[in-house]
Structure formats: C-alpha cells, structure tokens
Amino acid sequence: MNRILVTGAAGFIGSALVRELLQSDSTIIAVDKLTYAGNLQSLRDVMAHDRFQFIRADIVDRRAMAEIFSTTRPGGLIHLAAESHVDRSIEGPVDFISTNIVGTFTLLEAARDYHATLEGKARDSFRFHHVSTDEVYGDLDTLAPPATEDTPYRPGSPYSASKASADHLVRAWSRTYGLPVIISTSPNNCGPRQFPEKLIPHVILSALSGKDIPVYGDGEQIREWLYVEDHATALATIYHHGKNGETYHVGGGNERRNLEVVHAICDLLEKHAPDHKPAGLASYRELITHVKDRPGHDLRYALDGTKLRETLDWAPLESFDTALEKTVLWYLGNESWWRGILSGDYRLERLA
Ligand SMILES: NC(=O)c1ccc[n+]([C@@H]2O[C@H](COP(=O)([O-])OP(=O)(O)OC[C@H]3O[C@@H](n4cnc5c(N)ncnc54)[C@H](O)[C@@H]3O)[C@@H](O)[C@H]2O)c1
C-alpha cells in the first residue's frame, strides 16, 4: 500500500498530497498530463527525492495507464486528476467530460485489470481512492444542515455533473466488479500553489497588481474552506485507514460568504503588504468590483464532516483565519511561482 500512484500530482492539491505522503515511508508514482493547470514548479522540491517518480501521461489514454500499472506495480492509487475550474466548464465542457468522466472510467478499467493480477495481501490491500467535491450535492438552502455522505446528488454545473458522474462510476465498479474503492469529498481548498484563476489567488494577485477585484453578483454565495495541507493529511488518513466502499466528507465547518473572504484577503494585504497598493487608494477594498453573476451559480455548499472525525479521528489543524493568512503570506513570499504562471514561462519547462 505504500507504493502509491497519485494522479493530478502536479496540481494544487496533488502536489500538497505528494509532499505529505513523502513524509512517511511511501513511494510516490506521480502521474499528470500537465494541462494548463499542472505545474512542475509545484513539485520542484520533491523531484529529486529517491522515493518519487514523475510520469507525464493522460488518464484518458488506456494503453498508457495499463503500462503505468504494470511497470510501477502500485499498492493503490489516489485519483485527483481532473479539470477543476467551474467557469471553464461553462465556457467549454468537453475537456471535463473527457478527463473527469472518460478519464476516471479509463483509470477504473486499468485498475480493475491490474487488481485481477494481484494475489494475497497485495490484492486485499489494494485500493482506488477517488477525490470528489462538495459541488456534487448542488446548492443547499442557507439554513439547511450540511450535506452528509447520504445526501442525494444534485449537481448544477458541467464541472460538478462530471465529478458526480465519476463518483457514480467509481461506486459502480466497486459494486459490480468488486474493485476496492474509497471516495473522499472536499470543500473548497485554499493554500500555496493554487492556480491564479481560482477565487483566493485571483483576488490576491489582482489586488497586488492594483487591478479590479471581481466579485460575482452580490458575493453572498457561501462556500466552505479547508487548508490544502489539512486536506492532504485527511487524504493520507482516509487512504491508509478508511474502509473500502465508504465515502468520507472532509468537512471542517468553515463556511464563509464570498464577499467576506474577499474582505478578509484585502484586510490581510493591508496588514502584510500595505505598500503594494496603487497610489491614491486608501484601502485594497476599494478595488472590489461586482460583476455579472456566473450562470447557475450555486448559493451554498457545506459538508458534514462528523463521520471522518469520529471514525478516523481526523481534524484540521488550521482555522479559516489561519489558513487564509498562511495563503496570503505564501503568495507574498513566492512571487516567482505565480509570475511564472502569469508570464506563461511555467509551460516552457514541460517542453524541455
Ligand atoms: N481545489 C479545490 O478546492 C477542490 C475541492 C474539492 C475537490 N477538488 C478535487 O480535487 C482534485 C484536485 O483538484 P486541484 O484543485 O488540485 O486541481 P488542479 O486543477 O490544480 O490540478 C489538476 C491536475 O490534474 C492534471 N490533469 C488534468 N487532466 C488530466 C488528464 N487527462 N490526465 C492526467 N492529468 C490531468 C492537471 O495537469 C493538474 O496538474 C480534483 O479532482 C478536484 O475535482 C478540488
């Protein structure tokens, strides 16, 4: 089990997970297609690690997946590779259908073939851990209790529908073919190395460049937040100790309105980077601009994390406030990482 294949390892959560898993005695086989969202810079500190191997491959490519399983012989996998940005899924859903649905199907089939070749302990301990999102439940009323693992799916965007489809496939491969699977479901993550198109880095980098900070509609949408390193410890706990066939919510209860998040970021920048403000501006908050809402924008997501807390004894280390402050400080201290993305230079590395 300690030889772990991680898909989507060059992404935001995947790269945090790799760092977490390498702290124990695990060997990591990192698989990533390096789409626009994949960044080898996010794996730079582990590239030379003797228990780390990077393979550039597309999860939709059945032959490549079969070869990776047969040559690297993993004890299990944690599947994070996905197209992950809701706005992009609205503009062009095809990559979401391909990677999130067909890619997950391809990986399930390759894993099933490989699992059939295993015997004894290796066969019993193998597991396919699939990483899902709170968005599969669609939006909740403001006063409704958070979604539990039994709440019916009601996805509302091409992204969430593609992730929900993948979850259904994973459960079907467990029930029909007996593939040992686990699903974990996470709220919005924040932290180091998130691609600048997502809300928190987008706000930080817009503010630092003195650009308008766009807020969809009235900004009253409610999201739950989890620090990415807490997500990584949860994934490691679930992969190693979770029960096959189960779903676990990685919920921490940190619900915030989007506008509150944006205000909090502006205030943290005021505290840590007061001199980056464009001349004549009294506060970063003055950059906030309300823009036309996203079509079908879900009002609220929230996860009930009781099961994970009570059965696997996992709890996040960071509160919303500490997570957000760490995130802001990371972007302030790692300008070369995000400048490489804004300039497009990060894509040159994959061609080398
Ligand atoms: N970021 C969040 O807040 C959040 C919340 C809940 C769930 N999730 C889920 O967690 C997972 C990781 O999210 P993230 O934020 O790190 O995403 P990300 O967009 O930062 O990274 C995705 C990675 O997958 C790779 N990838 C995309 N298509 C691929 C393909 N066809 N073959 C191989 N690799 C491919 C990309 O190159 C990239 O490195 C996703 O499954 C996402 O749905 C994310």
Side-chain angles (χ1 to χ4, degrees):
M1 264 193 101
N2 274 347
R3 208 172 154 70
I4 308 170
L5 195 156
V6 177
T7 71
F12 167 46
I13 302 170
S15 60
L17 175 64
V18 166
R19 269 185 293 279
E20 170 63 28
L21 293 172
L22 283 173
Q23 284 185 37
S24 65
D25 58 355
S26 302
T27 295
I28 306 302
I29 303 126
V31 171
D32 200 295
K33 181 182 174 182
L34 296 180
T35 66
Y36 79 94
N39 188 347
L40 287 177
Q41 282 299 319
S42 299
L43 292 170
R44 202 180 41 174
D45 52 337
V46 298
M47 273 296 181
H49 199 293
D50 55 3
R51 285 185 280 109
F52 178 83
Q53 178 187 2
F54 181 81
I55 302 173
R56 186 176 185 184
D58 186 340
I59 59 163
V60 176
D61 181 341
R62 177 68 196 274
R63 204 180 308 168
M65 291 306 112
E67 195 182 321
I68 288 170
F69 273 108
S70 67
T71 55
T72 65
R73 318 266 334 145
L77 79 153
I78 307 181
H79 171 37
L80 297 104
E83 287 293 334
S84 67
H85 189 46
V86 177
D87 287 346
R88 285 181 189 257
S89 84
I90 295 168
E91 278 155 28
V94 67
D95 288 345
F96 290 73
I97 305 304
S98 172
T99 289
N100 300 1
I101 305 178
V102 182
T104 301
F105 158 72
T106 307
L107 210 50
L108 283 164
E109 283 291 82
R112 182 161 77 94
D113 285 351
Y114 169 67
H115 184 238
T117 67
L118 300 177
E119 287 173 359
K121 218 171 148 205
R123 185 180 169 81
D124 295 343
S125 62
F126 182 84
R127 73 180 24 161
F128 186 117
H129 177 165
H130 172 66
V131 177
S132 187
T133 165
D134 56 0
E135 303 195 25
V136 296
Y137 298 113
D139 57 0
L140 300 176
D141 287 340
T142 319
L143 297 175
T148 69
E149 286 81 356
D150 298 320
T151 298
Y153 280 21
R154 214 165 43 85
S157 73
Y159 165 65
S160 56
S162 68
K163 290 294 292 184
S165 307
D167 295 5
H168 290 318
L169 292 174
V170 170
R171 292 195 179 97
W173 259 242
S174 164
R175 181 163 168 165
T176 306
Y177 302 113
L179 187 71
V181 306
I182 285 193
I183 295 180
S184 62
T185 309
S186 159
N188 273 9
N189 286 216
C190 64
R193 303 177 187 82
Q194 188 170 30
F195 198 81
E197 67 192 352
K198 302 283 169 59
L199 177 72
I200 289 180
H202 191 59
V203 170
I204 297 171
L205 301 189
S206 299
L208 289 177
S209 349
K211 292 187 187 153
D212 285 350
I213 300 172
V215 171
Y216 279 131
D218 55 11
E220 287 297 299
Q221 309 86 355
I222 298 169
R223 298 292 180 264
E224 181 179 341
W225 293 95
L226 173 71
Y227 193 55
V228 69
E229 290 174 13
D230 280 329
H231 191 188
T233 65
L235 293 175
T237 303
I238 294 165
Y239 174 79
H240 284 295
H241 305 293
K243 198 167 152 216
N244 283 339
E246 297 288 329
T247 297
Y248 296 91
H249 282 177
V250 192
N254 287 320
E255 289 184 52
R256 292 289 183 286
R257 290 175 200 282
N258 281 351
L259 194 56
E260 274 180 79
V261 175
V262 175
H263 282 160
I265 295 169
C266 290
D267 297 349
L268 284 165
L269 288 172
E270 215 67 69
K271 177 176 164 190
H272 294 293
D275 301 336
H276 281 61
K277 272 198 305 288
L281 224 59
S283 109
Y284 282 106
R285 287 193 187 201
E286 288 175 32
L287 293 169
I288 295 171
T289 312
H290 291 268
V291 298
K292 190 170 178 286
D293 208 352
R294 171 192 277 167
H297 206 169
D298 287 335
L299 180 61
R300 173 178 172 239
Y301 306 127
L303 293 175
D304 182 333
T306 310
K307 177 175 170 181
L308 176 60
R309 247 192 346 266
E310 292 188 352
T311 60
L312 299 183
D313 199 23
W314 173 87
L317 289 179
E318 304 298 337
S319 67
F320 174 77
D321 291 341
T322 60
L324 195 64
E325 186 154 23
K326 282 188 166 191
T327 305
V328 168
L329 287 171
W330 189 87
Y331 280 90
L332 286 173
N334 290 276
E335 199 168 329
S336 64
W337 184 90
W338 54 264
R339 287 239 178 257
I341 292 179
L342 298 186
S343 68
D345 284 354
Y346 79 112
R347 304 198 81 158
L348 298 176
E349 198 177 343
R350 67 198 56 191
L351 302 173

